């Protein structure tokens, strides 16, 4: 059984449809485990790892339209280097501070591979209901916050840094690593999620990539989507590494971007743009389920980032 | 830097004195990471692993005197066997149900070693304040819930099961493994913690062993302790594997027992015994810091379970 199969099994067992986070009373709770081999490419600083791993959980809180309350992280490594550990904690604290949450520490574990498990907690209600993946209705507009492809560009920076370092150009490698780290840190869309919540009919984050997010929203809401590829907002960093066609593919399927994908009734679009503190781009329309999921008229495959 | 040094560094960095769980607004949050090599001896079922790992986090909530709200777990393994995964989830759900908390799922991760990261969330206030480690005052009585040594006996069962299986007696081995699993599951002391909270001046759980818990309480409260070894409540299972002296040593230093160690003013002892749903044993007295930490008049070393 692969991870997606296992997740499907768990969802069936655990009843609630797989939202980005669970809701219990008025709390929103989400947990993630990340590790060296798949999530932190060579060159990722512990500061970025702390920021990014805690940020990934905060992004799930954002996707529920909740405010962020607190986050914790369990940090596992073969040895505890105090500089690395403090850098990690600094990254974790700063990403929490960026969204008015409190980083309240965690656990340490000796482990062969650098591994981080993060949990974020948010609050909804009594005035704000959580936004689920289930409410998209035909005719709603599909919106995405910010730009996509940032993490794809970050990974490419790290890979080029490794190549450049091997070729002996450490100065360029250092610059590329710094760029990779900059691209790998992001502001979780807590404020945007809260502003979207009163208007959105369905929402999730783009951590698995836009294409996979749309497939998941479609399955949860029982709908289809028509996306206009030209409108997909692509981070300019992607064009440093890819031509236009590749850039759209990366922005659509690479994932790990932690933007919000939301469906919004057309009549609410203006209110959304006024309320949200980052660009909100309208990229398509919700269709009936039997109309499928298309981009520029072609079927959009369920391809994306499978978290390992 | 070893794990205790790293934890000390983190505590210094994160300001609040190291309680069992962090308190933010009226929420109590705690996270733990456990893994195969050190935490789940051969023979531990995934059902027990789910129960025990989530239970360990719930125990930290109990130690704050909080009610338990929810728990999540990130489950990492080299492969996802559906029977194992469902057993794990069943264990996690059942330990939550035992303390009126909700198990709200988690994350899956591919990982060489079976690893579990759990987070539990509880609530305190507005009527109940959290109980910290800092309030023990000379003259208070030292109390412990339940019996100690259960996990030591569990580990011994698992080790004997391995030996017996190697010697070819699979029937006895199976019985010993079942006994180990029974001993490894425990009811987190949420109800006891809530009942103790209005009376206790300081509290923590015994997961690092009674001796180490007393050292930690002493450091946080600036006090000493005199413990009466004869009064230390030892689980009868320990005597299946150890004579009386060894049993006291195991009960005092092995740890992983998830009972509560609390300090209570003498005038409140009767109220505590009436309120708490499990046996509460008075095992000693809080002293001034310069009187040290002793058991039966001898210094009690800071020995215990160092979580790996």
């Amino acid at each position: 059984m692969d991870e997606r199969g296992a997740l499907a099994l768990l969802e069936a067992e655990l009843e609630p449809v797989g939202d980005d986070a669970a809701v219990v009373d008025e709390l929103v709770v989400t947990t993630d485990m990340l590790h060296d081999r798949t999530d932190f490419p060579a060159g990722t600083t512990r500061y970025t790892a702390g920021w990014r791993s805690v940020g990934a959980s905060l992004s799930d809180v954002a996707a529920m339209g909740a405010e962020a309350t607190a986050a914790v992280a369990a940090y596992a490594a073969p040895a505890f280097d105090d500089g690395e550990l403090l850098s990690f904690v600094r990254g974790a604290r700063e990403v929490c501070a960026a969204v008015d949450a409190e980083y309240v520490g965690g656990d340490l574990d000796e482990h062969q591979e650098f591994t981080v498990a993060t949990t974020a907690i948010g609050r909804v209600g009594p005035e704000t209901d959580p936004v689920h993946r289930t409410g998209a209705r035909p005719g709603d507009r599909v919106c995405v916050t910010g730009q996509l492809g940032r993490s794809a560009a970050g990974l490419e920076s790290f890979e080029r840094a490794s190549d450049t370092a091997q070729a002996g150009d450490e100065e360029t490698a250092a610059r590329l690593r710094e760029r990779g780290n900059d691209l790998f840190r992001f502001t979780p869309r807590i404020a945007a999620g809260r502003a979207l919540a009163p208007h959105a009919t369905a929402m999730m984050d783009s951590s698995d990539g836009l294409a996979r997010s749309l497939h998941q929203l479609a399955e949860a809401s029982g709908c289809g989507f028509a996306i206009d590829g030209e409108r997909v907002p692509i981070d300019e960093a992607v064009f440093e590494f890819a031509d236009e066609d590749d850039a759209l593919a990366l922005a659509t399927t690479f994932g790990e971007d932690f933007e919000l994908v939301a469906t919004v009734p057309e009549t609410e679009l203006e209110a959304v743009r006024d309320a949200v503190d980052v660009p909100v781009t309208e990229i398509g329309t919700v269709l009936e389920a039997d109309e499928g999921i298309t981009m520029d008229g072609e079927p959009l495959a369920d391809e994306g980032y499978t978290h390992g």
Side-chain angles (χ1 to χ4, degrees), chain A:
Chain A
M1 192 165 46
D2 70 2
E3 192 176 313
R4 292 187 77 198
L7 277 171
L9 176 81
L10 274 189
E11 277 173 18
E13 172 73 6
L14 288 170
E15 290 163 43
V17 176
D19 278 315
D20 291 69
V23 182
V24 50
D25 299 337
E26 291 176 352
L27 296 179
V28 167
V29 189
T30 176
T31 196
D32 298 279
M33 194 185 282
L34 302 176
H35 56 106
D36 224 5
R37 191 166 43 83
T38 54
D39 298 297
F40 306 118
T44 310
T45 62
R46 290 291 155 103
Y47 172 70
T48 297
W51 180 291
R52 187 170 174 83
S53 56
V54 171
S57 287
L58 290 167
S59 176
D60 286 330
V61 169
M64 303 302 292
E67 66 179 290
T69 305
V72 291
Y75 176 107
F80 302 114
D81 173 276
D82 55 357
E84 288 182 351
L85 192 53
L86 288 175
S87 292
F88 179 89
V89 168
R90 193 162 55 85
R93 292 178 103 162
E94 289 182 14
V95 72
C96 284
V99 297
D100 290 328
E102 205 170 323
Y103 180 66
V104 292
D107 192 27
L108 294 172
D109 195 31
E110 268 183 46
H111 218 287
Q112 280 176 287
E113 190 181 9
F114 174 51
T115 302
V116 180
T118 55
T119 301
I121 300 162
R123 277 185 209 266
V124 288
E127 280 118 62
T128 332
D129 285 330
V131 184
H132 300 285
R133 294 182 181 176
T134 47
R137 290 165 308 191
D140 286 350
R141 307 297 291 162
V142 183
C143 296
V144 61
T145 61
Q147 280 83 35
L148 301 172
R150 221 176 129 82
S151 286
L155 182 63
E156 186 66 32
S157 288
F158 285 124
E159 285 176 354
R160 290 196 185 183
S162 292
D163 294 347
T164 312
Q166 272 188 341
D169 182 358
E170 185 47 47
E171 197 179 318
T172 305
R175 195 181 46 74
L176 283 162
R177 276 195 290 268
E178 194 180 335
R179 180 97 174 107
N181 278 290
D182 285 346
L183 290 165
F184 255 40
R185 294 190 301 271
F186 59 92
T187 304
R189 297 302 188 202
I190 294 288
R194 294 186 69 194
L196 273 157
H199 310 285
T201 52
M203 189 154 68
M204 68 180 292
D205 79 1
S206 68
S207 59
D208 291 343
L210 176 64
R212 180 149 290 161
S213 297
L214 291 169
H215 276 269
Q216 292 177 356
L217 286 173
E219 195 184 337
S221 289
C223 68
F225 290 107
I227 301 301
D228 183 348
E230 275 190 9
R231 293 192 179 200
V232 172
I234 304 177
D235 195 289
E236 59 187 16
V238 179
F239 297 103
E240 295 169 31
F241 304 107
D243 66 24
E244 206 139 317
D245 280 355
D246 288 348
L248 179 60
L250 282 173
T252 311
T253 61
F254 184 85
E256 293 287 279
D257 273 331
F258 308 104
E259 295 294 345
L260 298 178
V261 184
T263 57
V264 176
E266 191 161 11
T267 51
E268 313 251 330
L269 276 180
E270 204 176 310
V272 162
R273 288 215 184 84
D274 288 348
V276 179
D277 64 343
V278 289
V280 176
T281 309
E282 193 194 328
I283 59 168
T285 306
V286 180
L287 305 177
E288 298 289 348
D290 60 10
E291 298 179 89
I293 300 168
T294 60
M295 185 159 72
D296 302 330
E298 299 293 321
L300 182 64
D302 184 10
E303 268 174 51
Y305 185 85
T306 299
H307 291 79

